[in-house]
Amino acid sequence: MSKVENLKAEILKAQQDGDIASLYVLEQQAHDTLDEETIHGFYANILDLALERLTDTLESHRVMDMNEIQDFATLRALYEYAIEHYSASKLSDASALFEVLSGLSNDKKFSLALKFHWIASKENLSLDDFLSKIADIDATQNAGTFYISCFKEEAQKLLNASIIDAG
């Protein structure tokens, strides 16, 4: 069996098992080996599995556990999906996804970070402005999280203004 066939077999098994975490483990190998169209399908499958797990989580009225590998991978996939919407200037879709994600995890740091994302997109702040004015990219890179987790002082002002507007 060729390297490509082996990789495709591993990906297929992970998909059949609903194993998002294994798909992320295979991600770099997929990028190095597969063509662009196949990689697009690879990410579409991750998203499909993540949306299925989201539905199951919401229906079972539970929160995802950031320490559980499949929940962690699901949150990552859904976050990347929300950022994709934000990047495409689909602010209301991004905002709705960030709102759901902010309440989906037992991880308080993740939930707070997603509230900043949610409010910024809800307030029609572009992704570029969010990244330059609200997010602290250097600190986030040092934090080693898959999501933007560190913010400038401006973020707290945005959150406070949003709470005042809602109240």
Side-chain angles (χ1 to χ4, degrees):
M1 217 189 243
S2 76
K3 183 178 176 181
V4 173
E5 289 169 336
N6 278 339
L7 177 59
K8 286 183 176 181
E10 285 184 68
I11 290 170
L12 181 61
K13 174 152 180 27
Q15 288 169 346
Q16 290 170 338
D17 294 344
D19 189 347
I20 298 170
S22 288
L23 290 170
Y24 274 120
V25 169
L26 296 169
E27 181 180 28
Q28 187 59 52
Q29 201 177 342
H31 274 279
D32 294 345
T33 309
L34 305 174
D35 63 74
E36 193 171 324
E37 186 177 321
T38 307
I39 290 171
H40 183 71
F42 175 83
Y43 284 111
N45 285 320
I46 289 176
L47 180 58
D48 287 345
L49 291 171
L51 291 171
E52 195 175 299
R53 284 185 56 88
L54 171 63
T55 301
D56 292 346
T57 300
L58 294 173
E59 287 175 353
S60 65
H61 304 287
R62 72 173 191 92
V63 293
M64 291 192 174
D65 182 350
M66 198 65 102
N67 294 314
E68 199 281 308
I69 190 74
Q70 293 304 324
D71 283 356
F72 179 91
T74 299
L75 290 166
R76 175 181 166 185
L78 294 171
Y79 177 78
E80 289 171 355
Y81 184 55
I83 288 290
E84 208 174 283
H85 282 292
Y86 204 179
S87 176
S89 297
K90 297 178 183 173
L91 299 183
S92 64
D93 291 343
S95 177
L97 285 162
F98 290 136
E99 181 180 14
V100 168
L101 286 170
S102 73
L104 197 60
S105 170
N106 66 347
D107 186 289
K108 295 199 181 326
K109 185 175 180 182
F110 178 78
S111 294
L112 179 61
L114 274 283
K115 282 187 173 101
F116 288 126
H117 289 69
W118 168 40
I119 291 165
S121 56
K122 187 178 77 169
E123 298 290 328
N124 293 318
L125 192 67
S126 73
L127 179 59
D128 287 343
D129 285 345
F130 175 76
L131 293 174
S132 66
K133 297 177 182 171
I134 305 296
D136 186 335
I137 300 302
D138 292 337
T140 292
Q141 287 173 336
N142 290 335
T145 55
F146 67 83
Y147 59 95
I148 297 169
S149 58
C150 300
F151 302 90
K152 298 175 182 170
E153 280 184 39
E154 195 63 34
Q156 193 60 48
K157 293 176 191 167
L158 180 72
L159 185 60
N160 292 345
S162 178
I163 291 168
I164 291 166
D165 290 346

